[in-house]
Amino acid sequence: MSLAAYTEGFEQFAAGLPAGQRSARREHYERFLKAGFPTPKIEEWHYTDLAPLGERRFSPAAEGGAVPTAALLAGADRLVYVNGKLDQAHSTAAARHGENPLLTDGDSVTALNAAFATGGLSLRLSRNERLPRPLQVLTVGVAGNAPAMVHQRHRIELGENAEATVLFQFLGQGAERLTSHVVEVELAPGARLTLYRVQDEHADATLLTRIDATLRRDSRLETVAVDCGAGLVRHDFNVALAEPGAEVALAGLYQPAPGGHVDNQTRIVHAAPHCRSREQFKGIIDAKAKAIFVGKVIVQPGAQKTDSEQRVANLLLSRKAEVNAKPELEIYADDVKCAHGATVGQLDDKALEYLRSRGIAADAARALLLRAFGAEVLDQLAIPALRDRLAVRMGLAVEDIFEETVGETAE
Amino acid sequence: MLEVKGLHARVEGKDILKGLDLTVRAGEVHAIMGPNGSGKSTTAHVLAGREGYEVTAGSVLFDGKNLLELEPEKRACEGIFLGFQYPVEIPGVSNLTLLKAALNARRKYRGQPEIEATDFLAWVRDRAKLVKIDPKMLSRGVNEGFSGGEKKRNEILQMLILEPRLMILDETDSGLDIDALKIVADGINALRSPERATILVTHYQRLLDYVQPDYVHVLAGGRMVRSGGPELARELEEKGYGWLEAA
Ligand SMILES: Nc1ncnc2c1ncn2[C@@H]1O[C@H](COP(=O)(O)OP(=O)(O)OP(=O)(O)O)[C@@H](O)[C@H]1O
Ligand SMILES: [Mg+2]
C-alpha cells in the first residue's frame, strides 16, 4: 500500500503546526503509517474495506464553502463547521469550539485522525450545569478543487448531575472526501447526555466516526443515530459502563441511499455491577445499498446484575439488498441478564394490499408501513423539526402524524 | 351499477373463475353463497383489484367504466369497498391514520379539500357508536390485538366512515356472536340506500334474516349455478349444496 500522498499531506500539515506539537503528531502519524488502512483481514473491518483509500490522494481541506442554511435548527445553539473549519457567522455557540486533547488512540483510523485532527466541539459542563437548548454541531463537507480530507476531535465532559443534548450532523455535498470524527465523552456521576448523530453523506464521500464514552456512577447516555446518506460510512460506538448504576441506550435507524454503505459497530463494556445497556437498531435496506450492524457486549468478571438487551431488525426492500447483523456477546459474570435478537423481514404485502383496498395509493401505503417500522427509533429523536425533516428525506413521512386524541375526547 | 360478464380468472396458474356472470343494480342487495373453495373470495378480490389474480377473459363494468384496468386504490376511490374475510393486522399504523388517509385519498380523487381534523374526529366518533367500538381502540394499530369479532366490526366501521357505493362483504358474519352479528347487520342496513348496492358473501341464513337480500346466487366451480330470491337461501340451509350439483 502506498500512502505517499498522505505522508506528503502530513509534512505539509505538520509544517503549519506550532513546533511543540509536531513530535506528538508525528508519533500518531507513524502509527497510522505502520498499520495502514484497515482491510477485511482485521475482524472488526470484515465488512468494510478501507484499503482502496490508500491509493487516493486527499489534501487537508483548504477551502470553505456555503452553509446549507436549511439545515440550521431553530431553537438550538449551533457550532457550524465547513470542511472542518469553524464557520463563525453561523455559529451561535462559538465559545464551545476548542482544540481537544488527542487521548483516544486505537486502530489506524483513530491514529490517522489524531495525526491530522483539528479542533471541534469542546463542551465542559460543571456540576449541576444544564444546557438550556440542544447544541447542534453541524459539519458540512463541500466540494473543493481537489479531493479533501477533514479530521476533527470533539470532546464532551459533563460534571456531576450535569445535563446536555448534543446533535452531531454530518452533511455532504459533491466531490470525493475523506472525513473522520472522534468524539470523546466523559460522564461524571449522575450526568445525563442525549446524543444525536445524523448522517446524510454524498456518494463520493467516506465518513468515519467514532464515539468513545466512559460512564461513571448512575450516569446516563442516550443516543439516537440516523443514517440516510449514500457515502461509505463507518460508525464505531464504544461505551464503557465503568461504575455501578450507569446506563446506556443506543438507538439507530439506518436507511442507506442507493450506493450507500453503512457499517455500525457498537461495543459496550459492562465493567461494573448493576449497569444497564439497551440497543435498538433498525435498518431499511434497498437494492444497491449495504448495511452492517455488529453489536458487541462484554460483561467483565464481577459485573454482576448486568442488564443488557440488544434488538436489531432489518427490513429488506429488495432481494438484492445486502445486510449483515451480528450480535457478539462475551459474558464473564454469572448473575446477569443479557438478551439479544435479530430479525430480517420484508414489507408486509398483505398489509400493503389492505391499505390500497381502502383507497391509499401504493407509495403512500409503503410510506405508512416504513414509517411504522422506523418510528420506534425515529420518534426518540426529540427535536420535532429535525425528526420530521428526516422522515420526509427517508420517504417515511406520513402527512398526518396528527395527535391521536379521539379516545380522550370521546364521551 | 356492476356488470360482470363471462369472467374467467386464475391464481398461480390455476383457473378459479370460469365464466362468472353477475349484474347488480343500485339499491340492490345480492347474497353469494356456495361451497368452500368455489371462488367466492376470489370473486370479491378480483372486483377489488387484488394483485396476483389474472383475468383471462370476460369484463367487469362499474358505472360503465372498465373496472379491470383500475388499480385497487382507484377502485376504492370510485366507491368500491371490500370487507375482508380475514382482516389484516398492521402494527404501528393506527386505525385513525388509516381512516384519515383513506378518507382524504377519496376526497383528493374527487377534487375535494382534505377533511378538517375536528370534523374527522367527530365523524369517526359518531360512526364508532353505531358499531359499538370504543374510540380509544382506534389509536391502536390497525386490527392490532383485536379479537376476531372486533376485526369484523372494524371492517364495518371503516365502511361506515368511507361510505362506499358498492359494498362487498366477504363472510363478515363468520365468527360473530349473536350481538355482534346484529351490530354488523345494523351497520350494513345503515348504509342501504337507492344509490348503493351490497354483495354479501356468506355461508349462513342468519345474516340474511337481518339484511334482506333481493337476490341469492350460488357459486360453484367458478360459475353461478343458480340464482333466485331470498327463499333460495333457506332452501340451501335445509338441503345443502349437493342437490344443486346433482341437478
Ligand atoms: N393465492 C392462491 N394460490 C393458490 N390457490 C388459491 C389462491 N387463492 C385461492 N386459491 C384457490 O382458489 C379456490 C377458490 O378460493 P376462494 O378463496 O375464492 O374460495 P371461497 O369460495 O371463498 O371459499 P371459502 O368458503 O372457504 O371462503 C380454492 O381452491 C383456493 O385454494
Ligand atoms: Mg372465502
Side-chain angles (χ1 to χ4, degrees):
Chain A
M1 187 186 319
S2 132
L3 295 167
Y6 292 85
T7 303
E8 222 174 276
F10 179 74
E11 295 305 341
Q12 195 189 326
F13 173 74
L17 289 171
Q21 283 187 22
R22 282 181 205 151
S23 70
R25 296 290 193 141
R26 193 168 296 281
E27 269 175 45
H28 290 298
Y29 185 72
E30 298 286 338
R31 232 190 7 275
F32 161 69
L33 205 54
K34 197 161 154 229
F37 279 105
T39 70
K41 282 190 201 127
I42 301 170
E43 199 195 329
E44 288 81 6
W45 292 84
H46 184 72
Y47 300 100
T48 301
D49 188 5
L50 294 187
L53 289 176
E55 308 302 326
R56 310 297 308 146
R57 168 175 286 271
F58 296 101
S59 26
E63 310 89 359
V67 173
T69 48
L72 301 174
L73 280 180
D77 288 316
R78 291 190 301 266
L79 270 182
V80 179
Y81 295 94
V82 179
N83 288 346
K85 291 183 183 58
L86 182 68
D87 182 302
Q88 293 276 0
H90 293 97
S91 298
T92 60
R96 303 284 190 198
H97 168 80
E99 299 296 323
N100 288 307
L102 306 168
L103 300 179
T104 307
D105 197 355
D107 54 15
S108 61
V109 169
T110 321
L112 175 70
N113 175 280
F116 285 97
T118 53
L121 169 66
S122 184
L123 177 65
R124 283 186 180 73
L125 297 189
S126 47
R127 196 161 169 235
N128 296 330
E129 197 179 344
R130 281 183 191 179
L131 277 191
R133 276 178 297 279
L135 179 55
Q136 180 186 23
V137 181
L138 177 65
T139 78
V140 187
V142 297
N145 296 327
M149 64 179 182
V150 170
H151 304 279
Q152 286 189 262
R153 281 272 163 155
H154 309 275
R155 188 166 172 82
I156 299 171
E157 256 177 65
L158 301 193
E160 268 179 58
N161 300 318
E163 278 184 38
T165 296
V166 177
L167 159 68
F168 281 98
Q169 209 172 351
F170 304 105
L171 296 185
Q173 298 155 3
E176 199 181 344
R177 262 178 297 109
L178 169 61
T179 306
S180 79
H181 290 268
V182 175
V183 185
E184 288 163 7
V185 175
E186 287 273 355
L187 301 187
R192 280 163 186 269
L193 175 65
T194 303
L195 191 65
Y196 300 132
R197 187 195 67 211
V198 174
Q199 173 272 122
D200 195 347
E201 263 299 353
H202 186 268
D204 294 324
T206 301
L207 172 69
L208 312 168
T209 83
R210 171 172 172 145
I211 298 175
D212 281 62
T214 305
L215 277 63
R216 301 291 162 194
R217 186 177 285 273
D218 298 330
S219 64
R220 180 173 166 84
L221 170 65
E222 216 173 292
T223 74
V224 182
V226 179
D227 284 281
C228 50
L232 172 61
V233 176
R234 158 78 174 217
H235 298 300
D236 283 85
F237 222 127
N238 301 316
V239 180
L241 300 166
E243 292 180 5
E247 229 181 281
V248 63
L250 308 180
L253 176 64
Y254 42 89
Q255 185 183 24
H261 172 116
V262 175
D263 181 354
N264 268 294
Q265 305 264 333
T266 66
R267 230 164 279 117
I268 297 178
V269 180
H270 281 261
H274 295 284
C275 290
R276 190 176 138 103
S277 62
R278 288 289 177 271
E279 288 178 272
Q280 183 184 32
F281 281 78
K282 292 201 159 191
I284 301 172
I285 329 292
D286 211 334
K288 298 200 188 108
K290 190 171 168 179
I292 298 107
F293 174 86
V294 178
K296 193 172 241 177
V297 176
I298 301 165
V299 181
Q300 289 187 345
Q304 303 297 10
K305 304 288 179 195
T306 283
D307 177 2
S308 157
E309 189 181 303
Q310 182 185 88
R311 300 278 165 221
V312 187
N314 284 298
L315 196 57
L316 303 187
L317 299 185
S318 149
R319 281 180 205 284
K320 289 191 198 135
E322 195 180 334
V323 65
N324 292 285
K326 209 163 85 175
E328 290 182 356
L329 273 60
E330 293 177 21
I331 302 171
Y332 304 105
D334 51 10
D335 185 11
V336 301
K337 218 164 69 189
C338 292
H340 67 92
T343 61
V344 179
Q346 271 112 34
L347 264 192
D348 183 349
D349 280 340
K350 286 223 165 71
L352 264 179
E353 242 161 41
Y354 190 78
L355 293 169
R356 291 180 73 188
S357 79
R358 296 304 179 242
I360 301 167
D363 51 349
R366 268 168 72 94
L368 275 170
L369 295 181
L370 290 176
R371 179 80 177 83
F373 176 81
E376 248 183 311
V377 170
L378 201 55
D379 287 354
Q380 293 180 44
L381 217 165
I383 303 177
L386 178 64
R387 184 190 60 210
D388 295 348
R389 211 176 299 159
L390 284 169
V392 172
R393 164 75 178 91
M394 299 169 86
L396 313 181
V398 176
E399 282 163 83
D400 53 334
I401 307 167
F402 58 101
E403 287 306 310
E404 295 174 351
T405 53
V406 70
E408 279 73 56
T409 47
E411 58 272 60
Chain B
M1 177 182 265
L2 180 74
E3 211 164 330
V4 182
K5 275 196 191 142
L7 189 64
H8 289 250
R10 59 165 60 159
V11 187
E12 307 206 340
K14 187 175 154 200
D15 292 315
I16 311 289
L17 301 185
K18 300 165 185 165
L20 185 109
D21 297 307
L22 178 66
T23 301
V24 178
R25 285 170 291 266
E28 293 177 349
V29 174
H30 290 244
I32 299 180
M33 306 181 81
N36 293 132
S38 58
K40 302 182 299 295
S41 292
T42 302
T43 304
H45 283 125
V46 168
L47 293 178
R50 183 178 185 169
E51 271 166 30
Y53 294 81
E54 191 195 342
V55 173
T56 50
S59 65
V60 180
L61 296 181
F62 183 60
D63 288 341
K65 271 186 216 172
N66 179 4
L67 201 60
L68 296 176
E69 64 186 18
L70 292 182
E71 321 230 72
E73 57 266 33
K74 297 262 166 60
R75 299 187 196 192
C77 290
E78 285 284 342
I80 290 180
F81 181 93
L82 171 62
F84 282 65
Q85 182 173 0
Y86 305 107
V88 179
E89 293 196 24
I90 316 181
V93 176
S94 80
N95 289 283
L96 286 176
T97 303
L98 162 74
L99 288 169
K100 197 165 183 222
L103 209 48
N104 280 333
R106 255 173 200 66
R107 293 170 75 100
K108 197 170 157 195
Y109 191 76
R110 298 192 201 123
Q112 296 167 333
E114 291 201 349
I115 188 167
E116 291 287 331
T118 49
D119 294 346
F120 169 69
L121 292 178
W123 178 237
V124 170
R125 273 205 301 279
D126 177 71
R127 304 274 101 177
K129 241 185 275 170
L130 287 181
V131 286
K132 299 205 165 74
I133 284 185
D134 181 354
K136 283 192 188 104
M137 279 178 73
L138 300 177
S139 299
R140 302 205 326 231
V142 173
N143 291 321
E144 192 181 359
F146 284 31
S147 73
E150 285 169 345
K151 283 180 187 167
K152 296 295 180 71
R153 271 191 284 151
N154 197 25
E155 296 289 287
I156 298 298
L157 173 60
Q158 293 177 14
M159 187 177 88
L160 287 168
I161 287 170
L162 298 174
E163 300 186 297
R165 286 188 301 130
L166 176 61
M167 308 172 256
I168 306 168
L169 299 174
D170 190 359
E171 293 198 31
T172 305
D173 55 333
S174 295
L176 293 181
D177 65 37
I178 310 282
D179 293 339
L181 181 70
K182 183 82 174 51
I183 290 170
V184 161
D186 287 348
I188 300 168
N189 285 328
L191 279 187
R192 273 183 91 159
S193 83
E195 298 83 46
R196 296 201 177 95
T198 308
I199 298 174
L200 300 172
V201 173
T202 183
H203 285 296
Y204 308 107
Q205 171 63 37
R206 257 187 350 174
L207 175 67
L208 304 181
D209 289 340
Y210 293 115
V211 185
Q212 292 285 327
D214 300 297
Y215 299 93
V216 174
H217 311 273
V218 178
L219 178 56
R223 294 185 315 120
M224 298 301 191
V225 294
R226 175 76 64 119
S227 293
E231 71 289 345
L232 177 56
R234 275 187 287 276
E235 209 172 340
L236 291 169
E237 187 101 327
E238 260 172 52
K239 303 191 198 162
Y241 295 112
W243 62 283
L244 281 174
E245 276 153 34

